[in-house]
Amino acid sequence: MVAILLHLYYQDLWYEFKSKIIPLLDENVHLYITIHEETEYTNDMRSFAKKVFTVKNKGMDFGPFIYSWDKIKDIEYDYVLKLHSKKSESSIKNMGKDFGTMWRKDLVDSIIKTKEHFYSIIELLKKSPEIYMVGSEKWFISENKETMDNEFRLRCLHSIQKLLKMVNSHEHGSFFGGSIFLVTTDYLKKLFGDCNLVSLYEEFEDYYSSYGETLAHGFERVIGYGVTKNNGKFYQL
């Protein structure tokens, strides 16, 4: 079974995500949504989601991800699809007004461009248990690439080191930039181990930063670093 964990800070993107997600939903694929406030979109979300959680605006998309995973981790899901309403508004000044939309669609379409594409990935994962995480090849940050261009990582070092005390991950490695990916629940259980997820969620900052020093920026990396630490592999599309 698959749990889709969608965080919608920008709820005006609900219909964009809805068009991609609804064709996937059935008795084995369930949708969970996190929002930080109720809006005119909320009732429609509830028509399709197993649960809509209203959470504190903490940790950008990773605080809500930790919150949702804690709520569903004891359900017998095999895979989790992490999605969020990425706009990258802080990058528009330097990268152009369409940059955020392009990045989001690259990440989302790599996994759920069509229903057939999504289920082909699930079939691959069933046959290849060594693959723990799937995402966009274009936005995959390899260990070598991050080593060569590490200014942003250096800003994350404090948050990375703090997280490494809580989860089973390396201090360096690869990850999917933009943090939209499909991951196995076996991996998440190995990564988090006996970590207190409620306490971890509360650790996330309640402010946004584009500079990389927050726990959310650190977790974007650490959740990827842990793949090889836990004897897994990435698959890039």
Side-chain angles (χ1 to χ4, degrees):
M1 293 204 302
V2 183
I4 301 174
L5 305 186
L6 169 63
H7 178 56
L8 281 172
Y9 178 79
Y10 299 109
Q11 294 186 42
D12 58 303
L13 291 178
W14 162 237
Y15 292 115
E16 176 184 311
F17 279 98
K18 178 181 176 180
S19 68
K20 297 281 190 180
I21 292 171
I22 301 310
L24 309 179
L25 300 180
D26 58 26
E27 65 274 10
N28 293 312
V29 181
H30 303 154
L31 172 64
Y32 298 86
I33 301 175
T34 46
I35 56 175
H36 72 282
E37 62 181 354
E38 296 210 5
T39 68
E40 67 270 24
Y41 302 101
T42 309
N43 283 337
D44 191 49
M45 294 177 198
R46 289 195 175 106
S47 299
F48 300 97
K50 280 277 186 182
K51 185 73 176 179
V52 177
F53 301 111
T54 302
V55 301
K56 290 179 280 189
N57 189 28
K58 294 171 65 71
M60 293 180 270
D61 51 290
F62 269 111
F65 175 73
I66 299 299
Y67 182 96
S68 299
W69 169 243
D70 185 49
K71 296 294 185 184
I72 69 162
K73 66 181 187 296
D74 294 325
I75 303 174
E76 294 184 357
Y77 290 112
D78 303 295
Y79 311 104
V80 168
L81 173 57
K82 179 185 177 295
L83 301 172
H84 66 102
S85 54
K86 186 172 185 61
K87 285 192 176 182
S88 301
E89 292 188 330
S90 63
S91 302
I92 288 174
K93 183 185 297 185
N94 296 323
M95 306 298 291
K97 65 182 180 66
D98 295 325
F99 175 72
T101 299
M102 177 198 69
W103 192 356
R104 181 178 70 253
K105 291 188 174 181
D106 283 345
L107 294 168
V108 172
D109 285 354
S110 69
I111 303 170
I112 56 171
K113 186 173 185 178
T114 65
K115 180 177 181 178
E116 292 74 22
H117 178 64
F118 172 70
Y119 276 101
S120 71
I121 298 171
I122 297 299
E123 288 304 311
L124 172 68
L125 291 174
K126 289 178 181 178
K127 297 174 183 176
S128 308
E130 72 277 8
I131 298 173
Y132 287 179
M133 187 177 286
V134 177
S136 169
E137 180 179 24
K138 180 177 179 180
W139 297 101
F140 182 69
I141 311 300
S142 68
E143 184 171 352
N144 289 338
K145 182 176 180 180
E146 194 180 21
T147 300
M148 293 171 63
D149 182 20
N150 68 351
E151 178 183 353
F152 201 78
R153 179 180 183 273
L154 291 175
R155 298 177 191 166
C156 298
L157 280 179
H158 176 73
S159 59
I160 289 171
Q161 290 163 356
K162 186 174 184 178
L163 285 161
L164 292 178
K165 297 175 182 178
M166 306 182 203
V167 300
N168 186 28
S169 180
H170 278 308
E171 60 184 28
H172 193 57
S174 305
F175 65 99
F176 287 107
S179 302
I180 287 176
F181 49 74
L182 181 66
V183 63
T184 69
T185 55
D186 282 348
Y187 168 58
L188 292 179
K189 290 172 183 176
K190 290 176 181 178
L191 177 73
F192 290 115
D194 59 1
C195 174
N196 185 319
L197 295 174
V198 175
S199 295
L200 175 57
Y201 168 72
E202 292 296 340
E203 290 277 349
F204 284 93
E205 299 88 351
D206 59 0
Y207 59 85
Y208 172 77
S209 171
S210 60
Y211 296 104
E213 79 282 6
T214 67
L215 207 64
H217 285 104
F219 210 95
E220 177 180 33
R221 285 164 163 73
V222 166
I223 198 169
Y225 296 176
V227 169
T228 49
K229 169 71 172 179
N230 289 280
N231 303 310
K233 295 181 179 180
F234 295 96
Y235 189 76
Q236 305 159 50
L237 295 158

